[in-house]
Amino acid sequence: MKRRDFIKASVAGTALLSVPTILTTSCSTPAPKEKNDTPLKLSFQSGTTGKEEYAEKFDVMESLGIEGFEPGGRELLENASKIEAALRGRNIKVSAICAGFDGFILAEDPAVKAEFDSTYRELLAAAGQFGSTGVIMVPAFNHQEPCKAHNQATRDYLVEELAKLGEFALQHNTTVILEPLNRNEAFYLRLVSDAAAICRDCNCAGVKCMGDFWHMQEETSDYAAFMAAGKEYLQHVHMASRGQRRMPGEDGDKDNYVDGFRALKEMGYDKYVSFECGSDGDRAQTVPAAVALLREQWAKA
Ligand code: MG
């Protein structure tokens, strides 16, 4: 090829390559958002409806299409047969179990740690019997003393201990669920991504984590927080208003969950979003209004 022809061919080649780039940046319209059919599975804690009897609680929940029930651990052990009877024939399952054990995993005192080990295992076994997604735990609240130092050795210890619990959980077809809180309550574990990294390092399918929209004031992005855990590690979500921890909607415009919901929908999250909040209003109104708000925002996400 003569030098002049080579230059011509090169120029033509460059032009051909660059044309589509120009077209895509200047002429194309964004692709329409794919329809996402991930359903929103809502769950209530035992106090959410404000009703006393299990039959009453579950009647209200069924009328609102709530599919999960999250009892406290102690409550589950004390009322197992009542709960089982009241759930029979309904389209509601036990979602996660909210704590209810004694002691804590990072206790310095061996007696407190032993108390944790036996009571937490008892809850895992009960969770398994109810087909629950897992038992929620916080490694150490700020007020729990004496606590192991917040250092690398303690993190290694936590991973080892969680992996043992995770194996036990798997034997009972359930999981350990780590809950990050905000710094005022539990400085040890504050971010969903940090909890997810602990799950990864445990290398055990029985160790999972969760996000709580109330505590997620710690996060810079709800979307990024949930995505960091992904479907592999995210096992539960807690829901509350974002100012006073009341029913979603009671804090007005602050109660925007669309960014976090978008992550849950995109990853195909198939576990529960469970109410953990009080209410300043009449629950006969505030509870259905909160459910409607969440469904509306889920549809938007
Ligand atoms: Mg919570």
Side-chain angles (χ1 to χ4, degrees), residues 94-111:
V94 171
S95 56
I97 313 294
C98 193
F101 48 86
D102 296 319
F104 62 112
I105 195 168
L106 293 181
E108 193 74 90
D109 182 343

Side-chain angles (χ1 to χ4, degrees), residues 179 210 212 215 238 245 276:
E179 180 172 20
M210 62 173 288
D212 178 323
H215 297 294
H238 273 163
R245 208 179 193 180
E276 183 180 50

Side-chain angles (χ1 to χ4, degrees), residues 45 70 98 136 138 179-181 210-215 236-239 245 274 276:
Q45 284 193 340
E70 181 187 323
C98 193
I136 299 168
V138 172
E179 180 172 20
L181 303 185
M210 62 173 288
D212 178 323
F213 274 103
W214 160 252
H215 297 294
H236 198 59
V237 171
H238 273 163
M239 173 55 71
R245 208 179 193 180
S274 190
E276 183 180 50

